[in-house]
């Protein structure tokens, strides 16, 4: 359609991670870790000392960086900043809520599925699966 | 004769009626095609939602396996040897990256990015017909010796040998890159740490598919919403 915004091609984009230590460790083993000249990383490890403000700042930073194409965030962390995650609606970077060790994935809280859920019946897919 | 005369006024009066019927048919046909397009879009949307949920299950399995292997590695190597305190904070570029392409779906008003994973950043690989898919293939893809038909004789075996050598180079490059990622935890690491690495690489592949599925879902959704 005319007026459809186009997405610039990015040839080497990064994957950012906001998750617990084990998840970040695992993805760093897979070669995703990046540290730039200013010692800024593309990941944030969440532990019991991490504040909501730190999570919000990291989320805002990762979603505004032009070299990041996907932001992985543990769903239980996304629940802490749910308003921020649900109000995000840009195509890139894509926000993906992933499960964590102690918190399995819940489709009812997924921001992407929440956006499209009104197309389903009142008994949503999530409740049927549970 | 009477039948012929009776037929004549019927034939002259039927021309406008035929045109009206044709118009009605065209309108009905157009509405039918539009409904078919709507149905196609709805089916595409439902497929993408189903695909998204299935991929999420797949991701959960891959991550669970990775966490289990990581816990086993930590148990055998010691907690202090597998810890985030060992992360290297020196300047380094990620070895696994993404390529983002606009899929140029003109029917949708929503942008539809397509993500392609580039594992272990194989920069030395010679350009092939599809350099993006070449980067995306599993590094263990190798052709051994004369597995191809012998019809072309030496030419075929030369091609197979070249591909085999390229495969070996790719594989050794990937192994070196993997070892470099593991070297943060010492020279000798538990085999469980290596399997954890593979599990998380698998999880990354699923994540990229999830991102594409998400894009398709949102594009279909915006298409349906606009109609």
């Amino acid at each position: 359609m005319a007026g459809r915004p186009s997405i610039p091609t990015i040839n080497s984009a990064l994957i950012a991670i906001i998750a617990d230590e084990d998840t970040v460790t695992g993805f760093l083993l897979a070669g995703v870790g990046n540290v730039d000249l200013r010692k800024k990383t593309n990941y944030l490890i969440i532990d019991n000392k991490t504040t909501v403000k730190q999570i919000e700042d990291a989320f805002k930073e990762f979603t505004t960086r032009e070299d990041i194409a996907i932001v992985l965030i543990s769903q239980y962390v996304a629940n802490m900043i749910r308003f921020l995650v649900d109000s995000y609606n840009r195509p890139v970077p894509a926000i993906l809520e992933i499960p964590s060790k102690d918190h399995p994935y819940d489709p009812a809280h997924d921001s992407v599925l929440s956006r499209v859920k009104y197309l389903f019946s009142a008994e949503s897919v999530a409740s049927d699966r549970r | 004769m009477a039948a012929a005369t009776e037929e004549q006024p019927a034939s002259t009066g039927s021309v406008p009626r035929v045109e009206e019927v044709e118009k009605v048919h065209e309108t009905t046909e157009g509405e039918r095609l539009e409904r078919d397009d709507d149905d196609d879009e709805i089916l595409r949307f439902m497929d993408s939602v189903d695909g998204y949920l299935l991929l999420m299950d797949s991701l959960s399995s891959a991550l669970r396996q990775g966490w289990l292997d990581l816990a086993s590695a930590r148990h055998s190597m010691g907690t202090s040897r597998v810890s985030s305190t060992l992360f290297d904070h020196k300047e380094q570029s990620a070895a696994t990256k993404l390529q983002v392409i606009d899929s140029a779906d003109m029917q949708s008003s929503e942008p539809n990015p397509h993500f392609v994973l580039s594992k272990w950043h194989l920069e030395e690989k010679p350009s092939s017909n599809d350099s993006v898919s070449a980067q995306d293939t599993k590094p263990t893809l190798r052709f051994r010796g004369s597995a191809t038909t012998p019809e072309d004789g030496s030419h075929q075996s030369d091609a197979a040998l070249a591909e085999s050598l390229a495969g070996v180079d790719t594989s050794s490059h990937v192994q070196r890159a993997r070892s470099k990622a593991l070297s943060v935890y010492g020279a000798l690491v538990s085999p469980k740490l290596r399997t954890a690495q593979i599990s998380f690489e698998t999880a990354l592949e699923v994540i990229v598919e999830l991102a594409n599925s998400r894009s398709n879902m949102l594009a279909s959704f915006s298409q349906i919403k606009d109609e």
Side-chain angles (χ1 to χ4, degrees), chain B residues 77-144:
Chain B
M77 291 168 64
T79 312
S80 57
R81 281 196 62 197
V82 182
S83 163
S84 59
T85 53
L86 299 171
F87 288 173
D88 191 359
H89 291 280
K90 286 195 306 245
E91 188 205 341
Q92 57 183 293
S93 179
T96 296
K97 290 188 175 179
L98 294 170
Q99 188 180 22
V100 183
I101 307 162
D102 190 354
S103 69
D105 181 4
M106 290 301 164
Q107 288 181 348
S108 172
S109 59
E110 179 94 4
N112 191 0
H114 184 75
F115 302 88
V116 180
L117 183 65
S118 169
K119 286 202 315 188
W120 304 115
H121 212 53
L122 305 174
E123 283 175 339
E124 296 93 330
K125 196 169 179 64
S127 61
S128 58
N129 289 340
D130 186 357
S131 61
V132 168
S133 64
Q135 286 179 347
D136 208 15
T137 53
K138 293 188 186 305
T140 52
L141 190 66
R142 291 193 288 179
F143 297 92
R144 295 187 178 279

Side-chain angles (χ1 to χ4, degrees), chain B residues 108-111 217-227:
Chain B
S108 172
S109 59
E110 179 94 4
M217 184 172 30
L218 292 174
S220 295
F221 175 69
S222 72
Q223 181 77 1
I224 294 167
K225 213 168 53 151
D226 291 342
E227 286 165 3

Side-chain angles (χ1 to χ4, degrees), chain B residues 54-75:
Chain B
L54 284 172
L55 283 169
M56 216 26 116
D57 282 341
S58 182
L59 174 67
S60 297
S61 301
L63 286 175
R64 268 199 303 273
Q65 186 60 46
W67 291 321
L68 192 59
D69 291 335
L70 205 55
S72 299
R74 192 174 278 129
H75 177 73

Side-chain angles (χ1 to χ4, degrees), chain A residues 30-95:
Chain A
V32 153
N34 188 85
V35 184
D36 66 7
L37 282 168
R38 291 171 292 170
K39 303 276 194 263
K40 283 195 161 196
T41 59
N42 61 330
Y43 54 88
L44 174 69
I45 298 174
I46 306 297
D47 55 22
N48 47 13
K49 297 193 200 71
T50 313
T51 62
V52 173
K53 176 84 173 48
Q54 284 174 302
I55 300 170
E56 282 178 358
D57 290 344
F59 183 82
K60 285 176 190 164
E61 186 205 326
F62 292 154
T63 50
T64 47
R65 273 172 66 167
E66 288 177 356
D67 58 345
I68 290 176
I70 293 178
V71 177
L72 301 178
I73 180 167
S74 292
Q75 196 172 44
Y76 82 98
V77 178
N79 287 339
M80 296 180 198
I81 54 168
R82 181 50 65 195
F83 178 72
L84 209 57
V85 173
D86 282 353
S87 60
Y88 176 85
N89 58 2
R90 300 213 321 261
V92 177
I95 310 298

